[in-house]
């Protein structure tokens, strides 16, 4: 266009290069808008981000109720929604013959403050049309009542993490078809999940031979260990050969008085902690305590702290196979483990609430 409507403001666009931590560190490039230059709107500015606790609970529910699970990835998710901001940009050389022209942005470009909320609203509207309602415990978990052919009543679930969608139902293909009618599905693939948020999803059998879902971060951790190992020679750090525990035996981070890291060392330390935190989120609960301890020193890490964080990566390298099973069985607890005591003299009027 040559003239602009009133109340429109200019925004610059640029290219960003990123690494997808949850997809084996896949490299990605994208054109984004400089949303940091626009005013923050009064409406919501975040997208759908289901909690990892909700994911684990839902996989357990799927096993309990013998539900099927299907997953899909919405392609160019934000761009499917309309832009909520009144902005324009001037076309650069990448636009060819349109270079220099004024262009009004009509789609929710990545980088804008309202794009996440715009896509969230669009997908939520689609799910509402399918009679799904958000739960109170987690608004990014949607449910609707359903009945199996045998009369069993249950809830169908849809979990959304930005553009990654999981559906748990006796007939999940019906819900997925409803989503596909409104959004472009990446590679048109709707199938049982094998990866979700960087974690490997698989099935296994518990002690009673009942099929359950399991989550593993093996591929993510292997890629992370490789990246760290390749970068260590430049940092002058050597990994020990044996790692029986995540941290060195007897190490106390609070008492470390080694030299403070410089600016580049601080940034590297924070990056490593970020990688380890995500590993914990997607299944490596065996390092949860140690990562939490080292995370408390993000603001002022020392050389000794960095060595111990590298030690954790060494532990991951030598302790590779680890799966978190969502066991649907009720625990078998023997009553013989509990001793009976007479507390009548202390609590005369007490009654057990059953």
């Amino acid at each position: 266009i040559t003239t602009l409507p009133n109340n429109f403001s200019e925004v610059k666009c640029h290219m960003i290069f990123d690494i997808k931590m949850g997809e084996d560190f896949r490299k990605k490039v994208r054109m984004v808008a400089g949303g940091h230059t626009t005013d923050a709107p009064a409406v919501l500015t975040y997208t759908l981000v289901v909690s990892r606790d909700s994911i684990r609970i839902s996989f357990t529910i799927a096993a309990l109720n013998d539900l099927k699970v299907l997953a899909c990835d919405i392609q160019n998710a934000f761009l499917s929604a309309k832009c909520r901001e009144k902005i324009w940009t001037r076309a650069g050389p990448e636009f060819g013959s349109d270079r220099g022209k004024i262009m009004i942005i009509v789609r929710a470009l990545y980088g804008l403050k309202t794009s996440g909320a715009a896509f969230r609203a669009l997908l939520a509207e689609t799910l509402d049309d399918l009679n799904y309602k958000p739960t109170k415990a987690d608004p990014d978990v949607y449910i609707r009542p359903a009945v199996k052919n045998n009369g069993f009543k249950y809830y169908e679930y849809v979990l959304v993490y930005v553009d990654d969608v999981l559906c748990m139902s006796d007939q999940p293909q019906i819900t997925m078809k409803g989503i596909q009618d409104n959004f472009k599905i990446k590679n048109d693939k709707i199938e049982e999940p094998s990866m979700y948020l960087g974690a490997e999803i698989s099935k296994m059998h518990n002690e009673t031979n009942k099929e359950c879902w399991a989550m593993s971060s093996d591929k993510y951790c292997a890629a992370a260990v490789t990246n760290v190992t390749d970068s260590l020679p430049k940092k002058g750090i050597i990994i020990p050969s044996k790692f029986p525990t995540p941290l060195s035996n007897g190490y106390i981070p609070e008492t470390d008085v080694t030299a403070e890291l410089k600016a580049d060392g601080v940034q590297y330390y924070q990056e490593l902690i970020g990688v380890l935190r995500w590993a914990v989120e997607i299944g490596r609960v065996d390092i949860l305590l140690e990562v939490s301890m080292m995370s408390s020193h993000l603001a002022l890490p020392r050389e000794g702290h960095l060595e111990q964080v590298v030690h954790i990566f060494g532990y991951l390298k030598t302790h590779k196979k680890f799966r978190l099973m969502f066991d649907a069985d009720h625990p078998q607890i023997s009553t013989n483990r509990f001793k009976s005591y007479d507390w009548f003299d202390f609590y005369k009027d007490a009654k057990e609430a059953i």
Side-chain angles (χ1 to χ4, degrees):
I1 64 172
T2 55
T3 59
L4 284 168
N6 294 331
N7 301 325
F8 273 70
S9 57
E10 181 183 9
V11 65
K12 301 289 185 181
C13 293
H14 58 279
M15 305 297 291
I16 62 167
F17 301 85
D18 196 13
I19 295 177
K20 302 285 285 187
M21 294 178 62
E23 299 180 19
D24 293 338
F25 299 90
R26 178 170 63 90
K27 297 177 181 177
K28 191 168 185 177
V29 60
R30 176 179 283 154
M31 179 179 177
V32 302
H36 62 289
T37 62
T38 62
D39 294 331
V43 297
L44 298 177
T45 58
Y46 56 88
T47 187
L48 302 105
V49 184
V50 66
S51 75
R52 266 68 67 190
D53 287 337
S54 296
I55 294 170
R56 290 187 278 265
I57 292 171
S58 298
F59 272 117
T60 306
I61 292 174
L64 278 168
N65 295 334
D66 194 23
L67 303 180
K68 302 179 183 68
V69 181
L70 289 180
C72 72
D73 190 352
I74 298 176
Q75 184 171 320
N76 297 327
F78 287 6
L79 299 179
S80 60
K82 294 182 179 179
C83 180
R84 291 184 170 185
E85 302 177 49
K86 295 182 178 181
I87 52 178
W88 62 274
T89 190
R90 192 174 297 277
E94 62 274 8
F95 285 85
S97 60
D98 290 328
R99 178 177 182 176
K101 292 184 179 179
I102 295 175
M103 294 188 172
I104 292 180
I105 298 175
V106 297
R107 287 288 164 179
L109 283 184
Y110 291 88
L112 295 176
K113 295 174 180 176
T114 59
S115 293
F119 170 69
R120 178 193 177 98
L122 182 62
L123 182 54
E125 182 179 348
T126 299
L127 293 174
D128 185 71
D129 292 340
L130 297 173
N131 296 319
Y132 278 93
K133 306 298 179 185
T135 60
K136 294 181 179 180
D138 189 337
D140 299 321
V141 176
Y142 294 79
I143 63 173
R144 73 177 181 187
V147 182
K148 291 186 178 182
N149 292 333
N150 60 5
F152 178 77
K153 295 181 180 181
Y154 72 103
Y155 280 101
E156 297 173 293
Y157 291 81
V158 171
L159 290 73
V160 186
Y161 193 99
V162 190
D163 54 2
D164 292 314
V165 182
L166 282 177
C167 180
M168 300 174 179
S169 167
D170 186 48
Q171 296 179 313
Q173 65 276 8
I174 297 176
T175 295
M176 287 303 197
K177 178 62 168 59
I179 295 175
Q180 192 173 28
D181 289 341
N182 293 273
F183 297 92
K184 172 65 176 175
I185 303 301
K186 188 177 293 184
N187 299 324
D188 292 323
K189 289 176 61 176
I190 298 177
E191 56 189 4
E192 283 193 342
S194 58
M195 294 285 294
Y196 195 70
L197 306 184
E200 300 159 74
I201 305 297
S202 60
K203 293 180 179 179
M204 62 184 298
H205 291 83
N206 63 9
E207 293 180 350
T208 60
N209 204 36
K210 183 173 183 178
E211 190 175 70
C212 300
W213 289 93
M215 178 181 290
S216 169
S217 58
D218 289 350
K219 288 185 178 179
Y220 174 83
C221 290
V225 168
T226 299
N227 283 358
V228 172
T229 302
D230 292 343
S231 66
L232 288 180
K234 303 175 184 177
K235 305 290 182 180
I237 301 175
I238 301 176
I239 302 183
S241 57
K242 296 182 179 180
F243 301 89
T245 57
L247 296 181
S248 298
N249 187 32
Y251 179 75
I252 303 175
E254 293 81 0
T255 61
D256 195 316
V257 292
T258 56
E260 297 173 4
L261 293 173
K262 297 181 180 179
D264 58 339
V266 171
Q267 181 179 355
Y268 184 63
Y269 181 88
Q270 293 171 347
E271 290 173 357
L272 296 184
I273 289 293
V275 172
L276 291 173
R277 279 178 169 177
W278 190 253
V280 172
E281 287 281 4
I282 60 177
R284 289 306 298 253
V285 294
D286 55 324
I287 61 171
L288 188 153
L289 174 62
E290 291 78 9
V291 173
S292 297
M293 292 169 60
M294 303 312 298
S295 294
S296 64
H297 298 276
L298 282 171
L300 189 64
R302 298 176 179 273
E303 292 178 356
H305 296 148
L306 180 58
E307 290 177 4
Q308 291 301 314
V309 168
V310 171
H311 193 286
I312 298 177
F313 279 94
Y315 173 82
L316 293 177
K317 184 178 181 179
T318 54
H319 298 75
K320 298 179 181 179
K321 300 298 181 181
F322 189 96
R323 282 200 296 181
L324 192 64
M325 182 178 70
F326 309 119
D327 194 344
D329 274 353
H330 292 282
Q332 300 297 323
I333 302 175
S334 173
T335 56
N336 295 330
R337 295 172 57 187
F338 300 92
K339 295 182 179 180
S340 180
Y341 295 93
D342 184 5
W343 292 96
F344 180 79
D345 291 340
F346 298 93
Y347 306 102
K348 295 182 180 181
D349 299 323
K351 293 183 179 180
E352 185 176 2
I354 300 178

